[in-house]
Amino acid sequence: MSILVYIEHAEGSVKKTSLEAVSFGKALADKTSGGEVIALALGSISDEALAIAGTAGASKVMHVADGNLDAGVIQAHADAVAQVYKQVGANTLVLSKSSLGDAVAARLAVKLDAGLVSNVVDLPDTTGGYKVKRSIYTGKAFAETTVNKDHKILAVKKNAVDLLTNGPEATVEKVSLSIADENFAAKITSTDKAEGEILLPEADVVVSGGRGMKGPENWGMIEELAKELGAATGCSKPVSDIGWRPHHEHVGQTGVKVAPTLYLAVGISGAIQHLAGVNSSKYIVVINKDPEAPFFKAADYGIVGDAFEVLPKLIEAVKAI
Ligand code: FAD
């Protein structure tokens, strides 16, 4: 029996979240004597880019290089993954929790008659059953789910597992599949991406500003710091409501949910609705002049100070690195 890991890629590289899923698969195989960890990629991407899955723990990568799969049509991806899953004789599918991952996983649970757990934060406890810990209520609590099916699908939450980086590069094996036309019934004909912008939901670093920034004229500092850090910019809800920033930057319960490695919050109080969108971040750094600001309770590092004094110094320090 082997573990198949469905990996996503964008702009020619395997996504970091998918590499985390591979590392999760490897740790699961080591824990349960689960056999080989095989990564599966669909669509156009180079062998060199795929080989990195080996460093995260995959023994090989299977690649269905069919350009029709580039658009990420969910039914077609689910069909392809199900075919390869059966071909390799896997009993567990691991993938990262994402909008595509969720949609594919739900269809696969039906196709493979598998038990699906999403938002997984830890390896399953296999003593006397198959219990999986998952994050619920936007990270505020955990639930334990018991899977009773022979086949398991685990969608791993971003930043929940340590990424392995020390394995040897994987060999890439091309796989040719026949995917029925009916799976391509829905087609994405074009997608738009703003030139040069780092997309907020995907960003590894986010610099976010709140009402403490006083006005849109002061956002130059947020943007400059974000540029130096290769970060996306975000904001609190009132900031986008007043029109200081565009709505697509609004982070929180009613806005974008982010899960970067670093979330830097400047002049944001840390209301529960804002925290609901950021508590999957690996590290949270807060700059606020009020030492009692609730955000400090959720922060890994905090600077009590005036943003207008701290930000220029921070930008200078980052530029000096
Ligand atoms: P404020 O609460 O006004 O805080 C400003 C902060 O800046 C303060 O902590 C202050 O100490 C600090 N500050 C001021 N001057 C400086 C300075 N010079 N230097 C450093 N710090 C300074 N909010 C969201 O963000 N996202 C959501 O998705 C969201 N959804 C909501 C849904 C509902 C149903 C409701 C009721 C509310 C929602 N809110 C949401 C609003 C939320 O409750 C807060 O009102 C909002 O997050 C506060 O934004 P803020 O921190 O920018 O502003």
Side-chain angles (χ1 to χ4, degrees), residues 6-8 15 17-18 95-106 118-119 155-158 201-202:
Y6 166 67
I7 56 176
E8 293 178 46
K15 290 188 177 181
T17 45
S18 288
L95 70 170
S96 63
K97 182 177 163 45
S98 67
S99 47
L100 179 61
D102 278 348
V104 170
S118 189
N119 248 341
V156 182
K157 188 179 178 197
K158 189 177 175 188
E202 302 273 320

Side-chain angles (χ1 to χ4, degrees), residues 24 117-125 130-135 141-145 155:
F24 182 93
V117 187
S118 189
N119 248 341
V120 175
V121 292
D122 207 350
L123 291 173
D125 174 358
Y130 196 96
K131 288 170 258 165
V132 189
K133 187 176 174 187
R134 65 192 177 93
S135 164
F142 298 106
E144 194 179 74
T145 302

Side-chain angles (χ1 to χ4, degrees), residues 7-15 18 41-45 50 70:
I7 56 176
E8 293 178 46
H9 54 92
E11 294 173 2
S13 304
V14 177
K15 290 188 177 181
S18 288
L42 308 177
S44 310
I45 177 169
L50 287 176
D70 287 351

Side-chain angles (χ1 to χ4, degrees), residues 29-44:
D30 290 346
K31 180 175 175 175
T32 59
S33 311
E36 206 181 2
V37 177
I38 302 167
L40 168 65
L42 308 177
S44 310

Side-chain angles (χ1 to χ4, degrees), residues 76 79 83 177-185:
D79 188 30
Q83 288 190 46
L177 298 177
S178 154
I179 302 166
D181 279 351
E182 65 194 33
N183 289 309
F184 290 100

Side-chain angles (χ1 to χ4, degrees), residues 8-115:
E8 293 178 46
H9 54 92
E11 294 173 2
S13 304
V14 177
K15 290 188 177 181
K16 182 170 164 264
T17 45
S18 288
L19 294 175
E20 288 176 4
V22 173
S23 296
F24 182 93
K26 172 73 174 133
L28 180 60
D30 290 346
K31 180 175 175 175
T32 59
S33 311
E36 206 181 2
V37 177
I38 302 167
L40 168 65
L42 308 177
S44 310
I45 177 169
S46 71
D47 288 0
E48 293 71 35
L50 287 176
I52 194 174
T55 65
S59 57
K60 69 173 171 188
V61 181
M62 297 183 77
H63 182 204
V64 184
D66 180 344
N68 290 321
L69 294 164
D70 287 351
V73 177
I74 295 153
Q75 292 87 342
H77 274 229
D79 188 30
V81 178
Q83 288 190 46
V84 175
Y85 182 90
K86 287 175 188 162
Q87 262 181 33
V88 300
N91 65 353
T92 306
L93 176 78
V94 177
L95 70 170
S96 63
K97 182 177 163 45
S98 67
S99 47
L100 179 61
D102 278 348
V104 170
R107 282 163 179 79
L108 282 165
V110 177
K111 279 179 188 286
L112 303 172
D113 188 24

